[in-house]
Amino acid sequence: NAANFSPDGQQLVTASDDGTAKLFTRAGNSVWTYQGHGNVVNDVQFSSDGRFLFTASGDCTAKAVCIETGRSTTTFRGHTDALHSVACSPSGMQLLTASDDCTVKLYSVPSGECQRTFK
């Protein structure tokens, strides 16, 4: 569904219909597979510092995943339908999500709380 390079270009990540996000080295070696969503993963983006990736899923949530461990650190909730895209601010402090519920939500990355909903 989606693929992106890390900011330094040394890693890449994929988002898949099987509900996973997979991290690879540029050489093609698998680093880890994240399986924390209950539905398809439609989008995945790295944070600007390359320490986290953010997923958007059909399970109505987005997640922050630590690159080092492959574990979720924050779940972003509040949408009522599938998420299709996710974007991290250049500072890494805010996250935008777009959903089939016809809204875009702005979240605080550290707290996971929704700061604003755009309709």
Side-chain angles (χ1 to χ4, degrees), residues 3-14:
N4 279 294
F5 280 104
S6 61
D8 67 4
Q10 297 306 304
Q11 295 178 309
L12 59 103
V13 66
T14 61

Side-chain angles (χ1 to χ4, degrees), residues 2-82:
N4 279 294
F5 280 104
S6 61
D8 67 4
Q10 297 306 304
Q11 295 178 309
L12 59 103
V13 66
T14 61
S16 301
D17 279 344
D18 67 3
T20 65
K22 296 179 182 180
L23 183 70
F24 296 91
T25 65
R26 190 176 178 115
N29 299 316
S30 177
V31 177
W32 48 252
T33 299
Y34 177 71
Q35 299 175 315
H37 283 290
N39 203 320
V40 301
V41 178
N42 290 312
D43 194 18
V44 63
Q45 300 286 330
F46 280 91
S47 60
S48 58
D49 64 8
R51 293 178 48 224
F52 294 91
L53 62 85
F54 298 94
T55 60
S57 175
D59 68 6
C60 305
T61 68
K63 303 221 182 221
V65 180
C66 176
I67 294 296
E68 278 188 27
T69 66
R71 296 181 189 266
S72 176
T73 60
T74 309
T75 299
F76 304 90
R77 301 179 195 281
H79 284 287
T80 58
D81 208 340

